Amino acid sequence: MPKTITIGIVGAGRIGKLHASNVMYYMPNARLKTIADTNLTPEIEAWAKNLGIPNVSRDPEDIFNDPEIEVVMICSSTNTHADFIIRAAAAKKHIFCEKPIDLTAKKVVAALDAVKKAGVQLQVGFNRRFDHNFARVHELVKSGSIGEPQLIKITSRDPAPPPPAYVAVSGGIFLDMTIHDFDMARFQAGSEVVEVYAKGAVLVDPEIGKAGDVDTALITLTFANGALGIIDNSRKAVYGYDQRVEVFGSKGAAVAENDTPSTVKLYSEAGVEGDKPLYFFLERYKEAFIGEMKAFLNAIETGTKTPVTGNDGLQDLLVGLAAKKSLAEGRPVKLSEISIG
Amino acid sequence: MPKTITIGIVGAGRIGKLHASNVMYYMPNARLKTIADTNLTPEIEAWAKNLGIPNVSRDPEDIFNDPEIEVVMICSSTNTHADFIIRAAAAKKHIFCEKPIDLTAKKVVAALDAVKKAGVQLQVGFNRRFDHNFARVHELVKSGSIGEPQLIKITSRDPAPPPPAYVAVSGGIFLDMTIHDFDMARFQAGSEVVEVYAKGAVLVDPEIGKAGDVDTALITLTFANGALGIIDNSRKAVYGYDQRVEVFGSKGAAVAENDTPSTVKLYSEAGVEGDKPLYFFLERYKEAFIGEMKAFLNAIETGTKTPVTGNDGLQDLLVGLAAKKSLAEGRPVKLSEISIG
Amino acid sequence: MPKTITIGIVGAGRIGKLHASNVMYYMPNARLKTIADTNLTPEIEAWAKNLGIPNVSRDPEDIFNDPEIEVVMICSSTNTHADFIIRAAAAKKHIFCEKPIDLTAKKVVAALDAVKKAGVQLQVGFNRRFDHNFARVHELVKSGSIGEPQLIKITSRDPAPPPPAYVAVSGGIFLDMTIHDFDMARFQAGSEVVEVYAKGAVLVDPEIGKAGDVDTALITLTFANGALGIIDNSRKAVYGYDQRVEVFGSKGAAVAENDTPSTVKLYSEAGVEGDKPLYFFLERYKEAFIGEMKAFLNAIETGTKTPVTGNDGLQDLLVGLAAKKSLAEGRPVKLSEISIG
Amino acid sequence: MPKTITIGIVGAGRIGKLHASNVMYYMPNARLKTIADTNLTPEIEAWAKNLGIPNVSRDPEDIFNDPEIEVVMICSSTNTHADFIIRAAAAKKHIFCEKPIDLTAKKVVAALDAVKKAGVQLQVGFNRRFDHNFARVHELVKSGSIGEPQLIKITSRDPAPPPPAYVAVSGGIFLDMTIHDFDMARFQAGSEVVEVYAKGAVLVDPEIGKAGDVDTALITLTFANGALGIIDNSRKAVYGYDQRVEVFGSKGAAVAENDTPSTVKLYSEAGVEGDKPLYFFLERYKEAFIGEMKAFLNAIETGTKTPVTGNDGLQDLLVGLAAKKSLAEGRPVKLSEISIG
């Protein structure tokens, strides 16, 4: 029987709670000992008690200082990620960190340096790599079934836009939303992005425009291996969360469609009607959130490399920064133009 | 260049006109010389002129007596089919006859005897064998891709019931509608039916019940090779013509879905909507009607066996008569119980 | 916060373990206190300890006699079900019992009488009603979206046949396998079966024939409300577990297709390839097993009627017995011909 | 009955023959009197005779000078289109011209001026607008079913690259292949393109690169109404002709998938296999070629505007020229930068 891994979670917001539940329900070899949130509320305390988490705290140091805790999961707000990584690395704990590591390359590099020096493991929360559909596409690409990848196409549309207040502090659509798609594109291409051209528009909500962002975007990617990529984003698909990936290559194409609540079709005089895609990321990526955690804990247990590394987090950020620059300057931007700091 | 085949058509109703158009437009080596209809109307004359048919007549003898005419296509009402076959055979003409040959086995046998004695060819109008989907299923069955056939499933539902007046003279649902499905079942099974159990209900229109028929039916077939078959029929599918075939075997299954006017899906807040099946047989089997005629003319030209023989017409009728008997007596009926006359 | 329900499980075979895991992982308000198995093994003990079940026993009486235990889940072999139901009812415990209750109507009736007298609740394990696809079909039927049901079509094929030794004691395909489909048919039709015609064949494995059973079957059902039903079964679909349901009615049809591991299609020179259906019932009905348990516990908690009653178990058995008789006698059998005891 | 339109065709290559057949078979009110080809061969003469075309000629003037001929269809090589348009206009004949009108904007404008002055009608051969799938998408867009268009996505991939010799004289992928997609994008967006960014790569055949062209491309479009467009092209999809269109808007999305030879799926141990898309444009757009001609002849007959105008041909060319410039200069190019001459 494998040994038990003791875990602390920093941050008890939506995503922290999700990971906590998944650890409690689905990770038989993991023990969630402590969850810390600087804004600890009675609601969080009740939730933690009900779930059976032994300790709650408002001080993350209760986790970093706990010698029993081997793994820290950082689920706090983005601006705290890099510091907590550095702190956790100093405490020699393995780290799972939600995406993005930071909105600046400089802080990401500092965090990755700390991880490297400490010799701990780091996985970044790009959960979509563990989606059953996209993992299957990857498997077909890896096995050579489609030959050399030539075009990577990603459709990624949210069901509803975030509040403009959120948009203002989000880092913009490319670092907040598209960064998942940049990671997916790199994952499927098996190659790094060397150039980005981003085109954006405000078609969903003028308030998003006023907040200095776009809500609709097309991003063209060029990969080191010669493949091209295209991502289309919208903040509002009225029919639900639209998440499709296609990789086209010299021997064929692998095409992933959306998931739906059921396979049922209703045939009537009005037409043939089927289900809309699963509503949003909690529904669509439910299994993928579990999958990334299992893969992370397995890497810790076996001492093997995590499947989404700190460098992945860095590269995805650099692509995002290039996209921002491209949109701002109205021209294609090479990754080499993006200064790391 | 292949020689030209000269054709006469008896009967200028809907199906006669359809075959006439198909010959004129799609059969470059065929020449439609004469169309005869005992109820010749000015409308038929105008239609024939517009299409470019040289002769119209109210006397089928103008066809049978014409030494230039090599092929007769019998598209008149069912009760005249057998006699016209016998007449055409006597005139040494090859014959295409619409289904069914007759509603009694005795007259069918007499017609087939005449054909045999005359040494002419006969094809019966079971056009669905030439449907692109069902032909593809057949190809997969023939090639062994699904192994030994074990279950043949046919869904066959019309968009709207015929008028009760028609029902009264139609010979009943099994000889009028299901007979196409019996032919399809035999075609796909590659084996003859040995037993039939038919269950029927009046669920669509009480007038059909008053006319002594059913409008909804399930027919279980047992084939000589051990396979089982099931046909489900309804006279009214509000969403259009539902025509599906599935053959399940020891190595897999071949499943044909409906055709639709387009592949387009509309994604909206209300759901995901696609096209209904093509409305009725003229739309769905448009190409199949052309295909059966090409195959027939090819058989005539090459002197090879027609792909749907007089014996097929006879066997399909016998299955239909067994189904009628089964429904009337509420028990499975063996084909051997059906007297040929 | 809802009160906790304390549970005991009788039988630690595959299905008992499945329900135990589901209770432990997914039923926050349930407490699995004891699992008993007359063939208790060290393997079961280790499994129970790992899962966190406090007590294991080889004596079911440890459950029936425990005043803390409010609910008994009967997961032992079929021949013990009725007696354990009677015992649990005597102990005033609510009961979840795996299907079938018994292979004889007489014992089922005795068990249901005991349940009635004791005033406890009983749910029978027809989990497929809780499948996301079939529940959606039911919802469309119930809401009137398809009008009056006229045809209920069920395809139910296993990926591989059971060992002939199992077949010999299974009660035959109709009571072992098709009984799930009988329940589904009744569920979707919203009406009781009044007549059955079953046709069977041995096409998969001659050993099954030697064991006195068939491995391929077509069963025609007639419902009290006039609708007709057809079930097709095979013990071996080489492409996996084939589980489809279609309800056709006066205003349309609801059609449920299979589930697949992913939505990915591989386009290549060879064709377009997609996933096979999920392999077998553990994969396909994973969520449905959780769903039935949640629905059961909710009924207990709220004191409402369970969604699958003892009478459902009885009716499904009677249909199965009628199917056996129909197959044996080669004729349609009315349910009224089946003696209850 | 509508009056007969007399037609002459200039050019008896593949596309000229296709239009000739369609006129002969499917346009009952049209009379194809003469076909002229400057490279008249005995093969063309035999083909024309077999089809029943009264006159063949090696001199297009035999058409332009024939007072009976009301309509000229220009199907000769691209470099002759503009001159023949001018000649036909001078002869006061209505014109159907294959795409593109010319590879230079200057000559296109000259041709359109001649058409305008002559007061004749002109339709350009963008047949895909008449494809059943894309017409259905357009219908949904026009009816407001998807709200305001925001993203237009076009996948357009050929099954096999043309010979490098052809590539050298083709005007490049954007004017030869993508021009159809530019027309489709404008058609669906209902708005003109104002900016183009084209990214290309040589991934299929190095010879294409040596000929100065690319074989893989992504083109980002910005429309006057604010919508964005993305086209992906490949000269070689091993699985056949990949032609998909998607329009995403404020109220939903309309998504057109490929057509296939049949709907049949083969379920086997290896997976579930379906048909590849129809092989190439002759198969896929068979009906669309007929549709464009019917629409053209109907416009002539009723004196209404043709559904694809000379200005459409001009705008599509300008977008193509902008794409060429964008690819050459590695930057987005505004349509206003493209000089008309």
Side-chain angles (χ1 to χ4, degrees):
Chain A
M1 192 171 298
K3 74 161 187 120
T4 295
I5 297 171
T6 303
I7 297 173
I9 295 181
V10 179
R14 183 170 59 176
I15 196 74
K17 283 177 176 163
L18 176 69
H19 287 308
S21 290
N22 285 344
V23 167
M24 296 299 284
Y25 286 142
Y26 303 107
M27 314 289 149
N29 303 321
R31 172 188 168 227
L32 174 49
K33 184 178 177 185
T34 305
I35 190 158
D37 196 301
T38 52
N39 295 312
L40 191 64
T41 61
E43 183 275 330
I44 293 174
E45 290 187 287
W47 162 84
K49 189 181 172 189
N50 190 46
L51 195 64
I53 305 173
N55 306 312
V56 293
S57 162
R58 61 180 70 243
D59 186 357
E61 286 300 318
D62 289 347
I63 289 172
F64 299 127
N65 290 329
D66 185 336
E68 262 197 346
I69 289 176
E70 198 178 344
V71 161
V72 176
M73 290 165 50
I74 302 173
C75 304
S76 48
S77 61
T78 297
N79 63 327
T80 67
H81 287 180
D83 288 344
F84 282 142
I85 287 175
I86 291 166
R87 180 65 189 91
K92 299 288 181 197
K93 299 189 189 307
H94 299 300
I95 303 158
F96 177 93
C97 183
E98 267 308 313
K99 67 96 215 169
I101 298 177
D102 195 82
L103 298 181
T104 69
K106 191 177 180 180
K107 289 194 73 171
V108 173
V109 168
L112 300 195
D113 282 349
V115 166
K116 196 176 179 185
K117 263 177 224 148
V120 295
Q121 297 249 43
L122 170 62
Q123 182 169 320
V124 185
F126 286 107
N127 56 296
R128 295 184 195 176
R129 294 188 182 205
F130 302 89
D131 173 69
H132 60 144
N133 294 333
F134 303 154
R136 174 72 182 142
V137 169
H138 187 63
E139 195 179 291
L140 289 168
V141 174
K142 278 283 169 188
S143 69
S145 297
I146 65 142
E148 292 299 314
Q150 297 175 344
L151 290 168
I152 287 90
K153 284 182 66 174
I154 297 175
T155 291
S156 179
R157 302 170 190 158
D158 283 354
Y166 172 87
V167 168
V169 300
S170 69
I173 192 170
F174 299 133
L175 298 187
D176 178 54
M177 177 176 168
T178 325
I179 198 165
H180 270 295
D181 307 312
F182 295 142
D183 188 68
M184 181 56 59
R186 293 175 53 253
F187 175 59
Q188 300 292 3
S191 180
E192 296 299 343
V193 173
V194 294
E195 192 189 88
V196 180
Y197 174 71
K199 184 82 197 175
V202 180
L203 301 175
V204 171
D205 183 355
E207 292 300 313
I208 291 176
K210 286 179 194 163
D213 202 359
V214 296
D215 52 35
T216 305
L218 288 175
I219 306 103
T220 301
L221 305 173
T222 309
F223 294 93
N225 65 3
L228 302 178
I230 179 70
I231 296 164
D232 76 84
N233 287 149
S234 170
R235 284 289 197 180
K236 185 176 180 186
V238 296
Y239 52 84
Y241 197 41
D242 195 346
Q243 298 280 296
R244 289 173 281 160
V245 167
E246 174 173 342
V247 183
F248 171 83
S250 55
K251 290 187 184 165
V255 181
E257 296 293 332
N258 285 301
D259 283 342
T260 52
S262 85
T263 64
V264 177
K265 297 275 182 299
L266 172 64
Y267 290 72
S268 71
E269 267 192 299
V272 180
E273 202 174 343
D275 287 358
K276 291 185 287 185
L278 289 171
Y279 181 66
F280 207 179
F281 71 96
L282 291 178
E283 292 82 11
R284 167 59 188 266
Y285 293 122
K286 189 184 163 195
E287 297 292 329
F289 281 114
I290 298 170
E292 72 172 347
M293 203 50 61
K294 286 195 169 159
F296 170 62
L297 294 178
N298 183 63
I300 300 306
E301 194 182 312
T302 57
T304 51
K305 201 180 135 195
T306 57
V308 195
T309 65
N311 184 53
D312 285 317
L314 176 60
Q315 294 302 323
D316 297 337
L317 174 68
L318 295 177
V319 179
L321 293 171
K324 283 187 88 158
K325 190 178 181 72
S326 173
L327 182 67
E329 302 182 7
R331 65 175 182 88
V333 168
K334 295 214 181 305
L335 264 279
S336 55
E337 296 181 49
I338 306 302
S339 159
I340 284 187
Chain B
M1 188 170 298
K3 73 160 187 120
T4 294
I5 296 171
T6 302
I7 297 173
I9 295 181
V10 178
R14 183 169 60 176
I15 196 74
K17 282 177 176 164
L18 176 69
H19 287 308
S21 290
N22 285 343
V23 167
M24 295 301 284
Y25 285 143
Y26 303 106
M27 314 288 148
N29 303 321
R31 174 189 166 226
L32 174 49
K33 185 178 176 187
T34 305
I35 190 159
D37 196 301
T38 51
N39 297 311
L40 191 64
T41 61
E43 183 275 330
I44 293 174
E45 290 186 286
W47 161 85
K49 188 181 174 187
N50 191 47
L51 194 65
I53 305 173
N55 306 312
V56 293
S57 162
R58 59 180 70 243
D59 186 358
E61 286 299 318
D62 289 347
I63 290 171
F64 299 126
N65 290 328
D66 185 334
E68 262 198 346
I69 289 176
E70 197 177 345
V71 161
V72 176
M73 290 166 50
I74 302 173
C75 304
S76 47
S77 59
T78 298
N79 63 325
T80 66
H81 288 179
D83 288 343
F84 282 143
I85 287 176
I86 291 167
R87 180 66 190 90
K92 299 288 179 195
K93 300 189 187 308
H94 299 300
I95 304 160
F96 177 93
C97 183
E98 268 307 316
K99 67 97 213 167
I101 298 178
D102 195 82
L103 299 181
T104 68
K106 191 176 177 180
K107 289 193 74 172
V108 173
V109 169
L112 299 196
D113 280 350
V115 166
K116 197 175 177 186
K117 263 176 225 151
V120 295
Q121 298 247 43
L122 170 63
Q123 182 169 321
V124 185
F126 287 106
N127 56 295
R128 295 185 195 174
R129 293 187 180 205
F130 303 89
D131 174 70
H132 60 141
N133 295 332
F134 303 154
R136 175 73 181 140
V137 168
H138 187 65
E139 195 179 290
L140 290 168
V141 173
K142 278 281 168 191
S143 68
S145 298
I146 66 143
E148 292 298 315
Q150 297 175 344
L151 291 169
I152 287 89
K153 283 180 67 173
I154 298 175
T155 291
S156 178
R157 301 169 189 158
D158 283 354
Y166 172 85
V167 169
V169 300
S170 68
I173 192 170
F174 299 132
L175 297 187
D176 178 54
M177 176 177 169
T178 324
I179 199 165
H180 271 295
D181 308 311
F182 295 142
D183 188 67
M184 181 56 59
R186 293 174 53 252
F187 175 59
Q188 299 292 3
S191 181
E192 295 299 342
V193 173
V194 294
E195 193 190 87
V196 180
Y197 175 71
K199 184 82 196 176
V202 180
L203 302 175
V204 171
D205 183 355
E207 292 300 313
I208 292 176
K210 286 179 194 164
D213 204 359
V214 296
D215 52 36
T216 305
L218 288 175
I219 307 101
T220 302
L221 305 173
T222 309
F223 293 93
N225 64 3
L228 302 179
I230 180 70
I231 297 164
D232 75 85
N233 287 150
S234 170
R235 284 289 197 181
K236 186 176 180 186
V238 296
Y239 51 83
Y241 198 41
D242 195 345
Q243 298 280 296
R244 291 174 278 160
V245 167
E246 174 174 344
V247 183
F248 171 82
S250 55
K251 291 186 183 166
V255 181
E257 297 293 333
N258 284 302
D259 283 342
T260 52
S262 85
T263 65
V264 178
K265 296 275 182 297
L266 171 64
Y267 289 72
S268 71
E269 267 190 300
V272 179
E273 202 173 343
D275 288 357
K276 292 184 287 185
L278 290 171
Y279 180 65
F280 206 0
F281 70 97
L282 291 178
E283 293 82 11
R284 168 60 187 267
Y285 294 121
K286 189 183 164 194
E287 298 293 329
F289 281 113
I290 298 171
E292 71 172 347
M293 202 51 59
K294 285 195 170 159
F296 170 62
L297 293 178
N298 183 62
I300 299 305
E301 194 180 315
T302 58
T304 52
K305 202 181 135 195
T306 57
V308 195
T309 65
N311 183 52
D312 285 315
L314 176 60
Q315 295 301 324
D316 297 337
L317 175 67
L318 295 177
V319 178
L321 293 172
K324 283 187 85 158
K325 190 177 181 72
S326 174
L327 182 67
E329 302 182 6
R331 65 174 183 90
V333 168
K334 296 217 182 303
L335 263 279
S336 56
E337 296 181 47
I338 306 301
S339 159
I340 285 188
Chain C
M1 191 170 294
K3 73 161 188 119
T4 295
I5 297 170
T6 303
I7 298 173
I9 295 180
V10 179
R14 184 170 58 176
I15 196 75
K17 282 177 175 162
L18 176 68
H19 287 308
S21 291
N22 285 345
V23 167
M24 295 301 284
Y25 286 143
Y26 303 107
M27 314 288 147
N29 302 322
R31 173 188 167 226
L32 175 49
K33 183 178 178 188
T34 306
I35 190 158
D37 196 302
T38 52
N39 296 310
L40 191 64
T41 61
E43 184 275 330
I44 292 174
E45 291 187 286
W47 161 84
K49 190 181 173 186
N50 191 48
L51 194 64
I53 305 172
N55 306 312
V56 292
S57 163
R58 61 179 70 242
D59 187 359
E61 287 298 319
D62 290 347
I63 289 172
F64 299 126
N65 290 328
D66 185 336
E68 263 197 346
I69 289 176
E70 197 177 345
V71 161
V72 177
M73 290 165 51
I74 302 173
C75 304
S76 48
S77 59
T78 298
N79 63 326
T80 66
H81 287 179
D83 289 343
F84 282 142
I85 286 175
I86 291 166
R87 181 66 189 90
K92 301 285 179 195
K93 300 189 189 306
H94 299 300
I95 303 160
F96 178 92
C97 182
E98 269 307 315
K99 67 94 217 170
I101 298 178
D102 195 82
L103 299 181
T104 67
K106 192 177 177 180
K107 289 193 73 172
V108 173
V109 168
L112 299 195
D113 282 349
V115 166
K116 196 176 178 186
K117 263 177 225 151
V120 295
Q121 297 248 42
L122 169 63
Q123 182 168 320
V124 184
F126 286 106
N127 56 294
R128 294 184 195 175
R129 294 187 181 204
F130 303 89
D131 174 69
H132 60 142
N133 295 333
F134 303 153
R136 174 73 180 140
V137 169
H138 187 64
E139 195 178 290
L140 290 168
V141 173
K142 278 282 168 191
S143 68
S145 298
I146 66 144
E148 292 299 313
Q150 296 175 344
L151 290 169
I152 287 91
K153 285 181 67 175
I154 297 175
T155 291
S156 178
R157 302 169 189 158
D158 284 354
Y166 171 85
V167 168
V169 300
S170 68
I173 191 170
F174 299 132
L175 298 187
D176 178 54
M177 176 177 170
T178 325
I179 199 164
H180 271 295
D181 307 312
F182 295 142
D183 189 68
M184 181 57 59
R186 292 175 54 253
F187 175 59
Q188 301 291 3
S191 180
E192 296 299 343
V193 173
V194 294
E195 192 190 87
V196 181
Y197 175 70
K199 185 80 197 177
V202 180
L203 302 174
V204 171
D205 184 354
E207 292 301 313
I208 291 175
K210 286 179 195 163
D213 204 359
V214 296
D215 51 36
T216 305
L218 288 174
I219 306 101
T220 302
L221 305 173
T222 309
F223 294 93
N225 64 2
L228 302 178
I230 180 71
I231 297 164
D232 75 85
N233 288 149
S234 170
R235 283 289 198 181
K236 186 177 180 185
V238 297
Y239 52 83
Y241 198 41
D242 196 344
Q243 297 280 296
R244 290 173 278 162
V245 167
E246 174 173 342
V247 183
F248 170 82
S250 54
K251 291 187 184 167
V255 181
E257 296 293 332
N258 284 302
D259 283 342
T260 52
S262 85
T263 64
V264 178
K265 297 275 181 298
L266 172 63
Y267 289 72
S268 72
E269 268 191 298
V272 180
E273 202 173 345
D275 287 358
K276 292 185 286 185
L278 290 171
Y279 181 64
F280 208 178
F281 70 97
L282 291 177
E283 292 83 10
R284 168 59 188 267
Y285 294 121
K286 189 183 163 194
E287 298 291 329
F289 281 114
I290 298 170
E292 70 172 348
M293 202 52 60
K294 286 195 168 159
F296 170 62
L297 293 177
N298 182 63
I300 300 305
E301 195 181 313
T302 57
T304 51
K305 203 181 133 195
T306 57
V308 195
T309 65
N311 183 53
D312 285 317
L314 175 61
Q315 295 301 324
D316 296 339
L317 175 67
L318 295 178
V319 179
L321 293 172
K324 283 188 86 157
K325 190 177 181 71
S326 173
L327 183 67
E329 302 182 6
R331 65 174 183 91
V333 168
K334 296 215 182 305
L335 264 279
S336 55
E337 298 181 46
I338 306 302
S339 159
I340 285 187
Chain D
M1 190 171 298
K3 73 162 189 120
T4 295
I5 297 171
T6 303
I7 298 173
I9 295 181
V10 178
R14 184 170 58 177
I15 197 75
K17 282 177 176 162
L18 176 68
H19 288 309
S21 291
N22 285 343
V23 167
M24 296 300 284
Y25 286 143
Y26 304 106
M27 314 291 148
N29 303 321
R31 172 188 168 227
L32 174 50
K33 183 177 178 187
T34 306
I35 190 159
D37 196 300
T38 52
N39 295 311
L40 192 64
T41 61
E43 183 274 332
I44 292 173
E45 292 186 285
W47 161 85
K49 188 181 173 188
N50 190 46
L51 194 65
I53 304 173
N55 306 312
V56 293
S57 163
R58 61 179 70 243
D59 187 358
E61 287 298 321
D62 290 346
I63 289 171
F64 300 126
N65 290 329
D66 185 336
E68 262 197 346
I69 289 176
E70 197 178 345
V71 161
V72 176
M73 291 166 49
I74 302 174
C75 304
S76 49
S77 59
T78 298
N79 63 326
T80 67
H81 287 179
D83 289 343
F84 282 142
I85 286 175
I86 291 165
R87 181 65 190 90
K92 300 287 182 196
K93 299 188 190 307
H94 299 300
I95 304 160
F96 177 92
C97 183
E98 267 309 312
K99 67 95 217 170
I101 298 176
D102 195 81
L103 299 180
T104 68
K106 191 176 180 181
K107 290 193 73 173
V108 173
V109 168
L112 299 195
D113 282 349
V115 166
K116 196 175 179 187
K117 261 175 226 150
V120 294
Q121 297 249 42
L122 169 63
Q123 182 169 319
V124 185
F126 287 107
N127 56 294
R128 295 183 194 177
R129 294 187 181 205
F130 303 89
D131 174 69
H132 60 141
N133 295 332
F134 303 155
R136 174 73 181 141
V137 169
H138 187 63
E139 195 178 290
L140 290 168
V141 173
K142 278 282 168 190
S143 68
S145 299
I146 66 143
E148 292 299 313
Q150 297 175 344
L151 290 169
I152 287 91
K153 285 180 65 174
I154 297 174
T155 291
S156 177
R157 303 169 189 157
D158 283 354
Y166 172 86
V167 168
V169 301
S170 68
I173 191 170
F174 299 132
L175 298 187
D176 178 54
M177 176 177 169
T178 325
I179 198 164
H180 271 295
D181 308 312
F182 295 143
D183 188 69
M184 181 56 59
R186 293 175 53 254
F187 175 60
Q188 299 292 3
S191 179
E192 294 300 341
V193 172
V194 293
E195 192 190 88
V196 180
Y197 174 71
K199 185 81 197 176
V202 180
L203 301 174
V204 171
D205 183 355
E207 291 301 312
I208 291 175
K210 285 179 196 163
D213 203 0
V214 296
D215 51 36
T216 305
L218 288 175
I219 306 101
T220 301
L221 306 173
T222 308
F223 293 92
N225 64 3
L228 302 178
I230 179 69
I231 296 164
D232 76 84
N233 287 149
S234 170
R235 284 290 198 181
K236 186 177 180 186
V238 297
Y239 52 83
Y241 198 40
D242 195 346
Q243 298 280 297
R244 289 173 279 161
V245 167
E246 174 174 342
V247 183
F248 171 83
S250 55
K251 291 187 184 165
V255 182
E257 296 293 332
N258 284 301
D259 283 341
T260 53
S262 86
T263 64
V264 178
K265 298 276 181 297
L266 173 63
Y267 290 73
S268 72
E269 268 191 298
V272 180
E273 202 173 345
D275 286 358
K276 292 186 286 186
L278 290 172
Y279 180 66
F280 207 179
F281 70 96
L282 291 178
E283 291 83 11
R284 167 61 188 264
Y285 295 121
K286 189 184 162 194
E287 297 292 330
F289 281 114
I290 298 170
E292 71 173 348
M293 202 51 61
K294 286 194 170 161
F296 171 63
L297 293 178
N298 182 63
I300 300 307
E301 195 181 313
T302 58
T304 52
K305 203 180 135 195
T306 58
V308 195
T309 65
N311 184 53
D312 285 315
L314 176 60
Q315 294 302 324
D316 297 337
L317 174 68
L318 295 177
V319 179
L321 293 171
K324 283 187 87 158
K325 190 176 181 72
S326 173
L327 183 66
E329 302 181 8
R331 65 172 183 90
V333 168
K334 295 215 181 305
L335 264 278
S336 56
E337 298 181 47
I338 305 302
S339 159
I340 284 187

